[in-house]
Each structure stands twice: as structure tokens, then as C-alpha cells.
Amino acid sequence: MSHGISDDQVAGELKKMTAFIRQEALEKAKEIQIKADEEFAIEKSKLVRQETSSIDTTYEKKFKQASMSQQITRSTLANKTRIKVLSARQELLDELFEKARNKLASYAEDKTKYTGICKNLILEGCYALDEKKIAVRARKQDYEVVKKAIGDAKKEYKENTKKEIGIELDEKNPQPDGSSGGVSIVGTGGKIDINNTLDERLKLLETDALPMVRASLFGKNENRRFYD
């Protein structure tokens, strides 16, 4: 004799099934929540890293810009200072040589000393040209001194070389009266002119002696590797 399932049994089974389904649902929900939390944590960590990297990149970029700007400012200031120093030094050198130029004319005032100067300038041209006959040009006001200097130069040239030399004063082509003095020596029929005027010698001195003068006044430049 079969017995049917009572209402209480059905209700109990339904209750068990409901509890089972509910438990599974809770576990599934918990699993989903855990996974969601993990994904959230991963995404959050990823975003944090991205933002941190972005902040680091921005900071590094700004730091580099600030550093470069600082270097440019320092370089600009250093260059300005260097230019000012060089300008002041050049002004001092220009003033020094200008005083020397103004003093050149005074050399002709001492006739004895000036005669010796002209003699040496003439001799220098004689040795350089090595010719039998040359001409000397001078200021008109120096003709008397230069004529004596020519005589002294001829004598010394013969003593040193054992050779005669003809030296004449070219009065047709005098040096400008406004020049500081000295002579020019002409050879090879006027084709070669050695400018031994005092003005020209000072110009050569400015070029040749400038490194030495600069070093004497301002000291040796440690950054300079080559010298004239």
C-alpha cells in the first residue's frame, strides 16, 4: 500500500531546495564579490601606477626644464660677465697702445737717440734686401737726422758684411709730416718697400707682443691651448 507525500514533506523538501539554492547563490555572490574586489584592486593598482608614472614623468620633465633654464641663466650670466671682463681688458690694452702711439713723436726730440733708431731701421732694411743700392724715405723734418743715420748705417753695414752699399735719401717721396717718424727702405727699383716707420712698427708690436702684454697684465689664460 503506497503512501503519498504529505504537504509537510513537500514543504520540507522545498525548504531544503530553497536553502540549497540560497546557499549557492550566496557563495556565487561572494565569489563574484571577491573576483570583483580583486579586479578592482588590480585596476586600482594599475591606475595608481599610471598616475604615479605620469606624475613622475611630469615632475622629471619640469625638473629637466627648470635645470636647463638654470643652466641657460648661469651660462648667460657667465657670458655677460666674461664679455664685460674682456671688454674692460681690451679697453685697457687700447688705452695702453694709444699712449704708446702718442709717445712715438717724442722719440724724434732726442736727436742722438733718434739718429740711432733710424740707423738701426735702415740697417734692418739693408740686410733684408741684400742689394747694392737702396733708397730711404723719411719725413722732411727728419732729413738732417736721417742723412747722418744713412752714413752710420753704411759704415756699420760694410763692417758687418764686408760689402759696400749705396744708400740715398729719396727726397721726392717724403713720408707724411703727420706720421710719427722712422723710415721706409725701398729696393729693386721701387718694387719692394720695407715699411720701418715708427707707426708701422707699433702696429706690428700690437700684433706680435699682444699675447705677452695680455699675460703680463692679466695673467696666463689657463683655458687657452694655443698661442700665436
Side-chain angles (χ1 to χ4, degrees), residues 94-127:
D94 290 343
E95 182 181 346
L96 180 67
F97 285 115
E98 182 61 30
K99 287 181 178 179
R101 273 189 290 272
N102 294 334
K103 194 176 180 181
L104 283 179
S106 66
Y107 283 104
E109 295 174 2
D110 187 332
K111 300 300 182 183
T112 301
K113 184 182 290 186
Y114 187 51
T115 301
I117 291 173
C118 290
K119 180 204 72 172
N120 290 330
L121 294 174
I122 293 168
L123 273 174
E124 188 177 289
C126 292
Y127 295 134

Side-chain angles (χ1 to χ4, degrees), residues 173-185:
N173 299 289
Q175 296 287 356
D177 290 334
S179 63
S180 299
V183 297
S184 61
I185 301 92

Side-chain angles (χ1 to χ4, degrees), residues 29 43 51 53 55 58-59 72 75 82 98 139 142 156 164 168 178 180 197 201 211 225 228:
E43 190 64 26
E51 288 301 316
S53 177
I55 291 171
T58 302
Y59 172 79
I72 291 172
S75 178
R82 181 172 175 272
E98 182 61 30
R139 300 183 302 180
D142 293 336
E156 188 169 328
E164 296 281 353
E168 66 174 19
S180 299
T197 59
R201 294 306 291 261
R225 297 176 60 188
D228 296 331

Side-chain angles (χ1 to χ4, degrees), residues 9-27:
Q9 288 177 321
V10 171
E13 290 296 325
L14 287 173
K15 189 175 180 180
K16 289 178 182 179
M17 290 177 64
T18 301
F20 175 77
I21 292 170
R22 185 172 181 276
Q23 185 62 32
E24 277 203 340
L26 288 173
E27 290 179 356

Side-chain angles (χ1 to χ4, degrees), residues 1-227:
M1 182 176 180
S2 60
H3 299 282
I5 300 174
S6 66
D7 290 340
D8 290 338
Q9 288 177 321
V10 171
E13 290 296 325
L14 287 173
K15 189 175 180 180
K16 289 178 182 179
M17 290 177 64
T18 301
F20 175 77
I21 292 170
R22 185 172 181 276
Q23 185 62 32
E24 277 203 340
L26 288 173
E27 290 179 356
K28 190 68 177 177
K30 186 176 181 180
E31 183 182 334
I32 292 172
Q33 183 63 45
I34 291 172
K35 188 175 182 180
D37 289 343
E38 289 177 349
E39 290 179 351
F40 174 76
I42 292 171
E43 190 64 26
K44 180 181 177 181
S45 177
K46 183 180 177 182
L47 287 172
V48 169
R49 285 198 303 271
Q50 288 177 346
E51 288 301 316
T52 301
S53 177
S54 177
I55 291 171
D56 289 343
T57 301
T58 302
Y59 172 79
E60 184 178 356
K61 184 178 180 181
K62 289 184 177 180
F63 179 79
K64 285 182 178 179
Q65 289 176 342
S67 179
M68 186 176 294
S69 177
Q70 190 178 46
Q71 288 177 2
I72 291 172
T73 301
R74 284 178 178 175
S75 178
T76 301
L77 289 174
N79 284 335
K80 285 183 178 179
T81 302
R82 181 172 175 272
I83 290 171
K84 285 182 179 180
V85 170
L86 291 176
S87 178
R89 288 182 175 183
Q90 189 59 48
E91 285 180 9
L92 181 58
L93 290 170
D94 290 343
E95 182 181 346
L96 180 67
F97 285 115
E98 182 61 30
K99 287 181 178 179
R101 273 189 290 272
N102 294 334
K103 194 176 180 181
L104 283 179
S106 66
Y107 283 104
E109 295 174 2
D110 187 332
K111 300 300 182 183
T112 301
K113 184 182 290 186
Y114 187 51
T115 301
I117 291 173
C118 290
K119 180 204 72 172
N120 290 330
L121 294 174
I122 293 168
L123 273 174
E124 188 177 289
C126 292
Y127 295 134
L129 291 171
D130 191 24
E131 297 183 8
K132 292 182 179 181
K133 187 176 181 181
I134 62 171
V136 172
R137 293 171 181 168
R139 300 183 302 180
K140 289 181 179 180
Q141 65 210 65
D142 293 336
Y143 280 175
E144 182 181 345
V145 170
V146 173
K147 285 177 181 178
K148 186 177 186 311
I150 287 174
D152 294 341
K154 289 171 68 175
K155 181 180 178 182
E156 188 169 328
Y157 183 83
K158 184 177 180 180
E159 290 175 355
N160 293 334
T161 65
K162 311 304 180 187
K163 293 189 296 185
E164 296 281 353
I165 186 170
I167 306 175
E168 66 174 19
L169 178 62
D170 182 3
E171 298 186 25
K172 293 181 179 179
N173 299 289
Q175 296 287 356
D177 290 334
S179 63
S180 299
V183 297
S184 61
I185 301 92
V186 183
T188 319
K191 295 180 180 178
I192 299 178
D193 186 345
I194 297 176
N195 191 340
N196 262 355
T197 59
L198 298 184
D199 292 316
E200 183 64 21
R201 294 306 291 261
L202 181 60
K203 288 180 183 178
L204 293 174
L205 181 64
E206 287 184 36
T207 302
D208 296 339
L210 186 58
M212 182 181 67
V213 173
R214 186 184 285 116
S216 298
L217 291 174
F218 313 118
K220 185 179 178 182
N221 186 350
E222 298 298 335
N223 296 320
R224 189 170 185 179
R225 297 176 60 188
F226 304 102
Y227 293 87

